[in-house]
C-alpha cells in the first residue's frame, strides 16, 4: 500500500488546524469596518459534506485520450478511482479543484473533491467525494479561469461567460452571465474583479479591469504586443507579451500594470508563452525555445534564461528549490536557478517521449506542490513522485491501468 508520509506529527497538526480555524473565526467576528478585496475574496472554503484536514489532500487527474479512460489518484493513500469515460479529450486543465477535460465540442467538468483555500498567512485543506460536474460550452481554444467566486469561460473568438462557483460546487451548471465585448485574451478572475486584454485594430493590446458583471472599472496604462500566456500569483496576474510580461496588481482598490521586459531581443519561437509554477509561488517557468527555460521571479521583477538540454517539460517550487526539467534523454535534470548550473541528473525515467503536444501525443508534464513533484509516463503507464529537495529522488512510483497522457494536480 502506498502511504504519503506526513512531515509533521498528527496531534500538533490537528491542533494547528483548530487554532487556525478559530483564528479565522475570530478575525471575521472582529471585523466591523469594510472588508478589503483580498480578505473577502478568500472564504474558508468549507462546503457541505467536505472534511477539513491538517495537510494538503492532493489528487492527480489522469486521462487517456486514446480510450477516454480517466482516473483520480489520491496521493495521500495511493488509492485509484475510476470515473466516467471522456471521449475526444485534447487538453486537461485545472483550477486547483475542478478538472476541465476539453474536446472539440465542449468541456467536461470533474470535481476532484480536493481543494485548498489560501488566507496568505495560513491555508485550509479540504477533501470530499469525487463528482461529475457537467458540461461547459466551448471546444478547442477555450480558456477557463477561476477563483473562489466565479469561473470564466473565454471562447477562442473572445466572447466570455461567467459561471457561479457555488453552482459548480453543487454540480449544477446553469447558463452563464455573458460579458459584453470581445477580448484579446482569457478573462482572469483576480481581487474580486476580472482582468483581461482588449485590442483596437493592429495596436498593442491593453489591460482592462472589469467588475464581475463586466462593467468597465479601470484601464491601467499598459501595452502588450502579441499577448499569449497568463498566470495568477500572490503578486498579481502575469500576462505574457512579445517583449516580456505585464504584471497586473491590485492595492487597496487601485489596479496597476507593470512591464517586466526580457531585457534582450527574443525571437517569437523563444518567447515565454506557457507558464507553469507551484500554486502560491511567485516563480514562474516557461520553455525558452527548445533548449532553455525562462524563469520569471515576479517578486524581483526579473527574468533569467537557464540553458538546458532539449526541453520536454519544466517546473519549479520556487523559493530556493531547483528548476526541474524533463529533457529528451528521458531523465530529469535539476538546475540551480541563481547560477543556471546543472546540479543533478536522474537515470532515464521515460523510455518513450511523444513529439506531439496535444491529445494522445501530449508531452509529459511536471506538476509541483509544497513537497513533491509528479511526472507522468504515458508509455510506461505510470506516474513518478519526485522529492525535488533530495536530488530528484524517486520517492514513489504509481503503476496504472491506463496511459496517463494528460495529468493535472488538485488540492494544492
Amino acid at each position: 500500500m502506498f502511504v504519503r508520509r506526513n512531515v509533521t506529527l498528527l496531534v500538533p497538526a490537528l491542533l494547528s488546524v483548530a487554532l487556525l480555524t478559530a483564528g479565522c473565526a475570530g478575525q471575521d467576528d472582529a471585523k466591523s469596518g469594510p472588508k478589503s478585496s483580498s480578505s473577502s475574496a478568500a472564504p474558508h472554503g468549507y462546503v457541505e459534506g467536505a472534511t477539513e484536514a491538517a495537510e494538503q489532500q492532493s489528487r492527480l487527474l489522469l486521462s487517456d485520450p486514446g480510450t477516454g479512460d480517466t482516473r483520480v489518484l489520491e496521493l495521500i493513500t495511493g488509492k485509484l478511482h475510476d470515473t466516467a469515460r471522456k471521449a475526444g479529450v485534447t487538453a486537461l486543465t485545472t483550477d486547483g479543484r475542478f478538472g476541465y477535460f476539453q474536446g472539440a465540442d465542449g468541456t467536461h467538468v470533474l470535481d476532484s473533491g480536493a481543494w485548498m483555500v489560501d488566507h496568505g498567512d495560513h491555508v485550509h485543506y479540504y477533501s470530499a467525494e469525487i463528482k461529475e460536474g457537467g458540461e461547459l460550452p466551448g471546444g478547442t481554444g477555450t480558456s477557463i479561469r477561476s477563483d473562489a467566486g466565479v469561473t470564466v469561460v473565454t471562447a477562442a473568438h473572445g466572447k466570455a461567460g461567467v459561471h457561479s462557483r457555488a453552482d459548480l460546487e453543487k454540480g449544477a451548471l446553469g447558463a452563464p452571465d455573458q460579458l459584453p465585448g470581445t477580448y484579446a485574451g482569457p478573462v482572469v478572475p483576480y481581487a474580486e474583479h476580472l482582468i483581461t486584454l482588449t485590442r483596437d485594430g493592429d495596436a498593442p493590446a491593453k489591460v482592462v479591469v472589469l467588475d464581475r458583471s463586466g462593467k468597465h472599472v479601470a484601464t491601467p496604462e499598459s501595452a502588450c504586443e502579441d499577448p499569449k500566456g497568463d498566470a495568477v500569483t500572490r503578486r498579481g496576474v502575469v500576462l505574457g507579451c512579445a517583449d516580456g510580461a505585464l504584471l497586473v496588481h491590485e492595492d487597496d482598490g487601485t489596479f496597476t500594470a507593470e512591464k517586466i521586459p526580457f531585457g534582450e531581443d527574443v525571437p517569437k519561437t523563444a518567447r515565454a508563452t506557457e507558464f507553469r509554477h507551484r500554486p502560491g509561488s511567485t516563480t514562474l517557468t516557461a520553455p525558452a525555445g527548445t533548449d532553455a527555460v525562462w524563469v520569471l521571479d515576479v517578486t524581483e521583477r526579473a527574468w533569467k534564461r537557464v540553458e538546458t538540454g532539449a526541453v520536454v517539460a519544466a517546473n519549479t517550487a520556487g523559493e530556493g528549490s531547483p528548476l526541474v526539467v524533463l529533457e529528451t534523454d528521458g531523465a530529469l535534470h535539476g538546475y540551480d536557478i541563481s547560477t543556471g548550473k546543472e546540479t543533478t541528473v536522474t537515470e532515464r525515467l521515460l523510455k518513450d517521449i511523444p513529439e506531439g503536444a496535444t491529445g494522445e501525443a501530449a508531452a509529459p508534464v511536471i506538476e509541483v506542490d509544497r513537497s513533491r513533484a509528479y511526472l507522468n509516463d504515458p508509455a510506461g503507464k505510470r506516474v513518478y513522485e519526485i522529492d525535488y529537495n533530495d536530488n530528484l529522488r524517486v520517492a514513489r512510483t504509481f503503476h496504472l491501468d491506463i496511459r496517463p497522457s494528460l495529468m493535472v494536480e488538485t488540492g494544492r
Side-chain angles (χ1 to χ4, degrees), residues 17 22 33 42 58 156 183 185 209 234 257 279 289 300-301 322-323 409:
V17 170
S58 294
Y183 305 104
V209 181
R234 289 180 182 273
E300 297 297 327
R301 314 294 202 266
L323 170 66
E409 183 179 357

Side-chain angles (χ1 to χ4, degrees), residues 83-251:
T83 70
R85 286 191 173 188
K86 299 164 183 63
V89 175
T90 57
L92 173 59
T93 60
T94 185
D95 56 19
R97 173 175 176 175
F98 295 92
Y100 301 101
F101 296 77
Q102 294 181 264
D105 300 323
T107 299
H108 183 84
V109 182
L110 178 69
D111 185 348
S112 74
W115 67 96
M116 176 191 77
V117 178
D118 189 348
H119 283 268
D121 60 344
H122 68 277
V123 296
H124 295 266
Y125 299 109
Y126 296 97
S127 62
E129 292 183 2
I130 301 164
K131 297 183 297 184
E132 301 295 334
E135 303 289 331
L136 288 172
T140 304
T142 298
S143 301
I144 302 173
R145 306 289 185 267
S146 303
D147 68 0
V150 297
T151 292
V152 185
V153 180
T154 309
H157 53 63
K159 291 290 186 180
V162 180
H163 293 264
S164 165
R165 186 74 170 186
D167 289 344
L168 263 70
E169 292 169 355
K170 296 174 184 176
L173 284 175
D177 295 329
Q178 295 294 332
L179 297 178
T182 302
Y183 305 104
V187 177
V188 182
Y190 168 69
E192 295 190 347
H193 289 75
L194 304 174
I195 308 299
T196 189
L197 294 161
T198 59
R199 181 187 286 114
D200 184 7
D202 295 329
K206 294 183 178 181
V207 172
V208 293
V209 181
L210 313 172
D211 67 14
R212 294 295 165 97
S213 67
K215 181 180 178 181
H216 184 275
V217 172
T219 307
E221 184 177 349
S222 62
C224 185
E225 189 74 44
D226 191 21
K228 189 173 183 181
D230 61 275
V232 178
T233 75
R234 289 180 182 273
R235 302 287 180 177
V237 178
V238 175
L239 303 172
C241 307
D243 57 352
L246 280 174
L247 175 64
V248 183
H249 175 67
E250 181 267 345
D251 184 15

